[in-house]
Amino acid sequence: MKPKILIAILGLAIFASCESELTKTPDFISEEVVFEDKNLTEAYLSNIYQDMLFIHVSGEGNMDMGMIPAAGAEHINFADWQTPNTTYRRAYTAAAGAGPLNYWGYNSIRDINFLLENIVSSQSLDETYILQKTNEARVLRAYTYFQMVIRFGGVPLITKVQNIDDPEEELYPKRATEQEIYEFILSELEDVISMMPDTRTGAAGRVDKYTALSLLSRASLYAASIGKFGQVQANGLVGIAPGDVQELYQTSYNASKEIMDSGVFALYNKHADKTVNFTQLFLDEGNSEVIFAEVFEPVIKGHSLDNLGTPAGFAATWNSNYPVLYDMVELFDFVDGRKGTDISRSDLVASKSWDIDDFFGKRDPRFKASVFYPESEWQGDLAYFHTSTTYTNAAGKRVTATSGTLDRNGESWPAACAARNARNTSLLLRKKLDESNTEPISGRSGQDFYVFRYAETLLNFAEAAFYLGKPGEALDALNQLRDRAGMPLLTEATEDNIRHERQVELAFESQRFWDLIRWRIAPKYLDKVRTKGLVFAYDMDIDRYVITLKNAESQDRVFGPERFYLPISQNLIADNPNLEQNPGY
């Protein structure tokens, strides 16, 4: 039950009395009057925003910010003990559930339901304001249900505040079907969209009409995919009826097109250098591409991405925490038209050397903006990942140095830094890091997290258009992204290149894991797979690298078909015995 006292107002009349603050009784605001004051209403709603799952910021020093990319085999975390690494490798069980991947968002649902039930009775707030806050809350409720349905399929659908004296069937509700949850999400969004003004507030972290349209675009696309590629099981607790697929694709198409036709948003294209442009997209906050963001501010509400992600050898107290998997690197093609997989793994042998700029620097500029690789420029210096240097010494003899590894100028590069950078994959996450933050401290980074951006709108549109039999429209949307990136334009839209473009454009943005699941292809990439990293040995005489493969993880990944949904944990079933378990657990 929610406490009857919601907000304590402390420190009133501090300077109005000589009475000791230690002897004063705090003044409290009863929940009955919260929605009689705009400031209290905004404070209540801000608390709901604070509790929303836009990105994982759990774990010591926000280490779980990489939770979903790690689960999707994009990057891992530095150490095996860190939560994401243990989560995706182990088998899910009905007893333990899926650990931190779980999200049972009913605290947020209750808070939102409370607002919706009570704000309409306000005697002080005007009708326009009440409608605005009601619509805002309904979008957040739809988003919360979306975060649960992509994890569990059907979940209990609760749309009013539960009370202790309610009937048992209301206190212990059964799971709705997955289809019913999606239908609720889509109908809620369609209803509020019709009532929301065109005002843009999403980039500042407040839900608006375009946030609702973006969620409608994404959620209907997910539901369509599940209906097309999945199957209905457990009497509908999981699965979408195949007969609804085309209508769902049409809903996604329409929502995406409304955003596109609004003229409010555009792909960020401020810088001529394509790598710089894609880098700055995530640092130039509030730009034309941002539809909705979770807003961060250093100190007030900061995170630790720069502290965790900066390579060793630069100022950071932790650093090198997100090693990028070579399996992901292979998705990035070259600007000259070569495929990322044209470099055969069988060629990564000790007898062959590579020009590092050709191997990495001539790839898609989005790769260069997203991944640290050997000799990446950063804060006026170069980042190194090699663990040995071979060169000809003054006596004319070829020697190999592994302690105090030498860089390309023959200067000593600290072996400890190289070893930390190279520990797992010898590649590190760069996307969204702020190069201007030269003293990254835990909790002091302020980059916003883009929940929805216009590039995703184009990708959603392309996918929906393709399955609706409009390949020309799909191709145009894809080529807008490729042109912005400086990549060769495509000549046709196919299922494969639509998916490929999505994985490259949205890499490391907590999308790939859910995409692999909704397309029902996750086992191909995540089951019985030992992901790879690289080992770099530098030959200073010819300024080239020997590049070999290594296992990036200590064991194979596990992803059986049951993992298209998470298990309902025994703790949840103990709380509500009417919850049925998902298939396969």
Side-chain angles (χ1 to χ4, degrees):
M1 291 293 293
K2 191 177 186 71
K4 282 292 180 184
I5 301 301
L6 292 182
I7 303 172
I9 308 299
L10 301 173
L12 295 178
I14 292 176
F15 302 107
S17 170
C18 295
E19 179 182 5
S20 169
E21 291 300 316
L22 297 176
T23 65
K24 292 175 67 175
T25 301
D27 293 324
F28 289 92
I29 303 297
S30 168
E31 65 180 5
E32 282 77 12
V33 299
V34 168
F35 302 115
E36 298 299 334
D37 180 271
K38 281 190 176 182
N39 290 329
L40 295 178
T41 300
E42 293 295 340
Y44 184 91
L45 193 54
S46 293
N47 188 63
I48 293 174
Y49 274 97
Q50 182 68 26
D51 291 340
M52 296 293 291
L53 182 60
F54 297 124
I55 183 173
H56 289 272
V57 290
S58 53
E60 182 181 347
N62 304 145
M63 286 178 184
D64 292 350
M65 291 186 79
M67 178 76 68
I68 304 304
E74 296 179 271
H75 63 64
I76 54 178
N77 277 43
F78 179 80
D80 276 351
W81 58 264
Q82 292 183 25
T83 316
N85 290 355
T86 58
T87 298
Y88 58 70
R89 288 179 190 160
R90 67 178 176 82
Y92 302 155
T93 66
L101 277 178
N102 287 321
Y103 176 65
W104 202 247
Y106 287 99
N107 286 336
S108 293
I109 294 295
R110 191 186 193 284
D111 288 342
I112 293 167
N113 288 340
F114 180 83
L115 181 149
L116 293 173
E117 288 182 15
N118 288 276
I119 195 171
V120 292
S121 302
S122 175
Q123 300 298 307
S124 305
L125 304 177
D126 63 73
E127 291 183 4
T128 300
Y129 181 81
I130 291 172
L131 180 62
Q132 175 189 346
K133 296 302 146 184
T134 297
N135 288 337
E136 201 172 332
R138 289 172 72 184
V139 175
L140 292 175
R141 184 171 64 178
Y143 182 87
T144 303
Y145 273 112
F146 177 67
Q147 288 299 316
M148 289 193 284
V149 76
I150 62 177
R151 287 167 167 78
F152 300 104
V155 293
L157 181 57
I158 301 173
T159 58
K160 70 172 191 175
V161 176
Q162 295 172 302
N163 295 297
I164 194 67
D165 53 356
D166 284 343
E168 282 198 8
E169 62 268 21
E170 294 183 20
L171 287 175
Y172 304 105
K174 295 182 178 180
R175 295 171 63 187
T177 66
E178 181 169 9
Q179 179 131 358
E180 287 170 337
I181 296 298
Y182 272 111
E183 287 174 350
F184 173 77
I185 292 169
L186 303 188
S187 64
E188 281 285 281
L189 293 171
E190 289 172 335
D191 190 40
V192 300
I193 287 166
S194 68
M195 298 183 288
M196 298 180 86
D198 291 338
T199 308
R200 183 188 176 202
T201 59
R206 284 289 183 169
V207 162
D208 59 15
K209 174 181 177 179
Y210 302 104
T211 310
L213 281 166
S214 296
L215 181 54
L216 181 61
S217 169
R218 186 189 291 181
S220 54
L221 186 68
Y222 274 42
S225 302
I226 293 165
K228 184 174 179 64
F229 302 109
Q231 58 182 316
V232 177
Q233 297 176 275
N235 296 317
L237 287 181
V238 296
I240 298 293
D244 293 334
V245 166
Q246 289 302 101
E247 182 180 350
L248 289 164
Y249 278 129
Q250 188 68 53
T251 299
S252 182
Y253 174 95
N254 292 345
S256 302
K257 195 168 192 308
E258 186 168 348
I259 296 170
M260 293 159 64
D261 290 346
S262 72
V264 175
F265 303 96
L267 293 177
Y268 182 82
N269 231 340
K270 188 175 179 180
H271 304 273
D273 185 298
K274 300 298 186 180
T275 301
V276 171
N277 190 69
F278 199 70
T279 298
Q280 291 302 122
L281 161 61
F282 300 96
L283 302 175
D284 188 0
E285 297 168 352
N287 65 68
S288 62
E289 190 163 335
V290 183
I291 297 177
F292 177 73
E294 181 172 11
V295 174
F296 289 90
E297 292 291 341
V299 183
I300 300 172
K301 181 192 173 183
H303 55 75
S304 303
L305 183 61
D306 295 318
N307 180 54
L308 294 169
T310 298
F314 300 84
T317 55
W318 178 254
N319 64 43
S320 310
N321 200 68
Y322 299 120
V324 172
L325 298 166
Y326 185 63
D327 308 62
M328 191 67 189
V329 173
E330 290 176 309
L331 292 179
F332 289 88
D333 297 333
F334 293 83
V335 293
D336 60 10
R338 287 178 293 161
K339 297 295 183 184
T341 51
D342 283 350
I343 296 178
S344 172
R345 292 188 175 190
S346 63
D347 286 334
L348 301 180
V349 292
S351 59
K352 188 168 184 175
S353 64
W354 302 83
D355 176 81
I356 205 68
D357 185 59
D358 184 63
F359 194 95
F360 288 120
K362 289 184 171 60
R363 290 181 189 260
D364 190 323
R366 290 172 291 190
F367 170 79
K368 295 166 64 180
S370 300
V371 179
F372 284 111
Y373 56 88
E375 301 186 25
S376 292
E377 296 182 8
W378 187 252
Q379 295 178 346
D381 209 337
L382 301 179
Y384 289 103
F385 295 78
H386 59 285
T387 52
S388 68
T389 305
T390 300
Y391 63 100
T392 302
N393 66 13
K397 189 174 183 180
R398 291 270 286 174
V399 296
T400 298
T402 56
S403 178
T405 303
L406 303 179
D407 65 21
R408 67 184 304 171
N409 299 312
E411 298 175 355
S412 179
W413 173 255
C417 293
R420 184 173 177 88
N421 287 341
R423 169 173 164 155
N424 293 285
T425 67
S426 300
L427 302 158
L428 292 173
L429 176 69
R430 180 173 185 162
K431 195 172 191 176
K432 297 182 282 190
L433 266 64
D434 183 0
E435 190 171 5
S436 69
N437 188 358
T438 57
E439 295 185 4
I441 300 172
S442 182
R444 297 293 182 89
S445 291
Q447 302 94 310
D448 293 347
F449 174 72
Y450 299 167
V451 182
F452 297 109
R453 63 182 177 97
Y454 187 61
E456 184 197 345
T457 302
L458 292 175
L459 290 162
N460 293 351
F461 179 82
E463 189 172 339
F466 176 79
Y467 291 120
L468 290 170
K470 302 177 181 182
E473 294 184 45
L475 179 62
D476 178 69
L478 294 178
N479 278 337
Q480 288 183 53
L481 291 165
R482 292 182 68 83
D483 181 63
R484 190 265 293 270
M487 292 295 289
L489 300 186
L490 301 171
T491 57
E492 65 173 333
T494 66
E495 184 176 84
D496 284 346
N497 62 29
I498 287 170
R499 292 179 176 182
H500 180 269
E501 195 65 26
R502 186 179 184 91
Q503 293 178 347
V504 169
E505 175 70 30
L506 302 178
F508 316 117
E509 294 183 51
S510 299
Q511 298 257 22
R512 173 177 157 89
F513 178 63
W514 305 118
D515 286 339
L516 295 178
I517 287 174
R518 68 181 175 90
W519 294 328
R520 295 302 193 251
I521 60 174
K524 177 181 177 180
Y525 299 95
L526 305 179
D527 189 39
K528 300 181 180 65
V529 172
R530 184 73 64 90
T531 58
K532 298 300 181 183
L534 299 175
V535 177
F536 296 100
Y538 181 55
D539 189 324
M540 192 166 61
D541 290 350
I542 58 174
D543 193 20
R544 291 170 69 91
Y545 288 81
V546 171
I547 305 174
T548 53
L549 285 169
K550 69 174 180 178
N551 289 328
E553 301 179 88
S554 59
Q555 60 193 76
D556 289 357
R557 286 181 173 245
V558 176
F559 199 105
E562 78 284 352
R563 289 175 75 136
F564 291 134
Y565 299 95
L566 304 184
I568 308 293
S569 73
Q570 288 297 338
N571 287 339
L572 291 175
I573 294 175
D575 289 339
N576 179 2
N578 288 328
L579 295 176
E580 294 183 48
Q581 185 57 270
N582 273 330
Y585 295 105

